[in-house]
Amino acid sequence: MELASIKVGLAPIALPNARLFVLGSLPGDASLGARQYYAHRTNQFWRLLGGAIAEPLQELPYAERLDRLARRGVGLWDVIASAERRGSLDQAIRLAEHNRIVQLLSDFPNLRAIAFNGATAARAGRKLIGDAPPGIALVDLPSSSAANTARFEEKARAWAVLAQFVAT
């Protein structure tokens, strides 16, 4: 049986002109090992976000994915900075320390939306932010994880709302 260990998340990725942040809960083991957001091959994040913003993200190397996001004003980060967790599932997260995501509201003057990838990120993120200031939307998305067994088409419909917040 695998022992729970402290998992430390990744640094935020964004340019100062970011209009949209997509926040996950805490990267899984594959992502932490690769030091890349959404690195697990079964995670649908790159396909879902790519479809929403009309970019073929899943087909690109990681560095080019990040470049496309930067050009479109999209930032990535997580609600949880570190936690004790056995494996990669959100249900196994214990003793979470949170990132200072409320700082996004003041550090990114062009920010128009914060989207939460999955219920765990949404629950913690909304608690940390409270009421969003006027002009900033908080968007709850179905998790891109393969552990979320909703059909891809259902997820894609929900993720499509992100298109209105990105630079063209």
Side-chain angles (χ1 to χ4, degrees):
M1 175 190 276
E2 177 192 356
L3 295 175
S5 60
I6 300 296
K7 312 281 173 91
V8 177
L10 304 172
I13 296 175
L15 293 180
N17 66 343
R19 299 168 50 91
L20 165 68
F21 261 88
V22 180
L23 304 179
S25 54
L26 178 68
D29 291 346
S31 295
L32 293 174
R35 304 301 299 161
Q36 297 180 359
Y37 282 96
Y38 304 100
H40 197 283
R41 60 179 173 70
T42 64
N43 194 297
Q44 299 170 325
F45 176 83
W46 296 108
R47 189 172 162 210
L48 287 166
L49 184 57
I53 67 170
E55 293 279 357
L57 298 174
Q58 74 279 5
E59 301 169 12
L60 303 173
Y62 186 70
E64 196 169 332
R65 291 174 181 176
L66 298 183
D67 181 59
R68 296 276 179 105
L69 292 184
R71 283 191 269 148
R72 301 295 298 276
V74 179
L76 301 177
W77 205 18
D78 289 297
V79 174
I80 299 171
S82 66
E84 185 177 286
R85 183 179 66 198
R86 178 181 297 125
S88 295
L89 295 177
D90 283 355
Q91 301 93 290
I93 292 173
R94 303 288 181 269
L95 306 172
E97 296 288 332
H98 295 93
N99 283 315
R100 297 184 48 157
I101 63 169
V102 75
Q103 288 298 120
L104 299 176
L105 302 174
S106 58
D107 292 350
F108 292 89
N110 296 332
L111 189 64
R112 297 294 168 260
I114 297 174
F116 301 107
N117 183 0
T120 300
R123 195 169 32 258
R126 284 180 172 275
K127 186 175 180 182
L128 291 167
I129 292 172
D131 293 329
I136 298 184
L138 300 180
V139 180
D140 296 358
L141 300 169
S143 175
S144 64
S145 169
N148 175 355
T149 59
R151 292 183 38 238
F152 179 82
E153 294 75 19
E154 292 173 39
K155 292 181 188 181
R157 275 193 296 279
W159 281 66
V161 70
L162 301 181
Q164 66 187 303
F165 303 112
V166 299
T168 54

